Amino acid sequence: MSDVTIKIAKNGPLLISEEVEVVDMDSGDKLAIDKFPIALCRCGQSGNKPFCDGTHSKVGFDGSLA
Ligand code: FES
């Protein structure tokens, strides 16, 4: 089992506190990350994908899991 924990923010992003690599699946390029935690967009509306830029709160994203 992995040591990485991904937390799901209510109506917001996926939060990753531990150091991880984020890699473009097609190119294999690693995305530059200068600090942790990182927040990965879950709403699809970020202007800085795959990272969250806070837009989820402006668009009223409903992140209900069920
Ligand atoms: S989850 Fe924050 S911009 Fe998408």
Side-chain angles (χ1 to χ4, degrees), residues 21-32 49-51:
E21 290 182 342
V22 180
V23 179
D24 183 306
M25 190 168 136
D26 294 328
S27 68
D29 293 341
K30 294 178 187 175
L31 281 67
K49 294 174 188 163
F51 303 104

Side-chain angles (χ1 to χ4, degrees), residues 2-66:
S2 170
D3 291 335
V4 175
T5 299
I6 300 173
K7 295 181 180 177
I8 304 169
K10 183 178 180 182
N11 299 327
L14 302 174
L15 302 169
I16 305 171
S17 297
E18 294 86 359
E19 288 196 25
V20 295
E21 290 182 342
V22 180
V23 179
D24 183 306
M25 190 168 136
D26 294 328
S27 68
D29 293 341
K30 294 178 187 175
L31 281 67
I33 299 172
D34 56 5
K35 64 176 182 171
F36 289 87
I38 59 172
L40 297 178
C41 178
R42 190 161 70 99
C43 74
Q45 301 300 313
S46 174
N48 187 31
K49 294 174 188 163
F51 303 104
C52 170
D53 68 356
T55 300
H56 60 269
S57 61
K58 297 176 189 163
V59 298
F61 173 61
D62 179 358
S64 301
L65 298 178

